[in-house]
Amino acid sequence: MIGVYLEVTKRRTFAGALDWPGWTRPGKTPEAALETLADYRARYATVLKAAKIRPPGPQPFDLAETLEGDATTEFGAPGRHPSADSVPLSTAEAKHLIRIWRACWEALDRAGQAAPPTLAKGPRGGGRDRDAILAHVVGADQAYARMVRLKSSSLLNAAFDRGPEAIHRPEVAAEVEALHQGMIEAVMAGAVGEGADYRWPARYLVRRSAWHALDHAWEIEDKS
């Protein structure tokens, strides 16, 4: 069985796989969210296989928890963390989750490299083009990093103030890698008993960032 949780509001629900960061999908109802999660099973498996990670098998879902969503859920992003995310991480678990997390970032990188600069327009994502989406994901990761007491990069902030195309500059790419490495180190610190002052549990940091990277990777692919 694959443990899943639901985050429910009147107009939107997110369904997420507890042990598989990035595999989280929305729907108008709990039933629709679970159906969409199942529909994305193969697409998620492709992401993991590219990183040589064995994907989850064809087991049925086991609903472990239902959460009441909030304004973030209504807006279009998962905003609540399941109780399982508050369970302390072992070092082995942290390393496994980090491998999946990196696979999601790598999927976004591949999507960005393969996509044209101008994407098909539509209501999803406000019609942003490739570089704007990539810059948006980095900006969100900076915000997520603050939840584990990491500081924002002034170089990244200044670069993106001049335009999203800065995402392709070598010095910006180096700063993004440093940001991600800092987030990974924060998760590993949580696995050895540190991080008591984190605003987000380490598991939720991985879950939220992995979902965001993969959601936009698939958006770029679908709009290319």
Side-chain angles (χ1 to χ4, degrees), residues 23 25 38-49 214-215 217-223:
W23 192 14
R25 304 310 301 156
D39 289 344
Y40 271 74
R41 184 191 297 264
R43 200 169 186 179
Y44 182 70
T46 298
V47 171
L48 298 187
K49 288 176 181 177
L214 207 47
D215 186 61
W218 289 335
E219 177 188 2
I220 291 172
E221 289 174 357
D222 291 346
K223 287 185 172 182

Side-chain angles (χ1 to χ4, degrees), residues 2-216:
I2 296 173
V4 299
Y5 75 98
L6 295 174
E7 184 179 324
V8 182
T9 67
K10 290 182 179 179
R11 292 187 295 177
R12 193 190 307 273
T13 294
F14 278 92
L18 289 170
D19 297 324
W20 299 97
W23 192 14
T24 300
R25 304 310 301 156
K28 291 184 178 180
T29 65
E31 295 78 13
L34 287 168
E35 182 177 344
T36 305
L37 190 70
D39 289 344
Y40 271 74
R41 184 191 297 264
R43 200 169 186 179
Y44 182 70
T46 298
V47 171
L48 298 187
K49 288 176 181 177
K52 295 181 168 50
I53 300 170
R54 185 176 180 178
Q59 303 100 320
F61 295 146
D62 176 30
L63 181 58
E65 186 173 7
T66 299
L67 303 169
E68 182 179 349
D70 56 16
T72 300
T73 320
E74 286 279 6
F75 178 74
R80 302 283 308 282
H81 66 80
S83 57
D85 283 357
S86 297
V87 176
L89 273 171
S90 69
T91 299
E93 286 178 306
K95 289 180 178 179
H96 176 65
L97 293 180
I98 287 165
R99 285 189 69 204
I100 297 173
W101 195 10
R102 279 198 174 277
C104 295
W105 284 331
E106 290 164 2
L108 178 63
D109 288 343
R110 287 193 301 273
Q113 291 166 9
T118 301
L119 302 178
K121 296 299 182 286
R124 184 163 184 257
R128 285 177 294 206
D129 286 321
R130 180 197 64 194
D131 293 349
I133 292 173
L134 296 174
H136 162 71
V137 174
V138 173
D141 273 340
Q142 285 189 279
Y144 302 160
R146 290 195 290 272
M147 299 300 175
V148 289
R149 304 303 184 189
L150 297 178
K151 294 182 179 179
S152 295
S153 165
S154 57
L155 189 152
L156 283 179
N157 294 335
F160 291 135
D161 282 346
R162 294 193 293 272
E165 64 277 1
I167 194 73
H168 301 293
R169 296 175 186 169
E171 66 273 20
V172 171
E175 285 290 309
V176 172
E177 179 58 32
L179 168 67
H180 287 167
Q181 185 58 37
M183 295 167 77
I184 286 170
E185 290 172 1
V187 170
M188 291 303 300
V192 295
E194 300 176 19
D197 62 341
Y198 291 173
R199 294 173 63 186
W200 280 359
R203 290 180 190 270
Y204 183 64
L205 171 67
V206 176
R207 184 183 307 284
R208 181 68 176 270
S209 175
W211 161 77
H212 198 227
L214 207 47
D215 186 61
H216 284 297

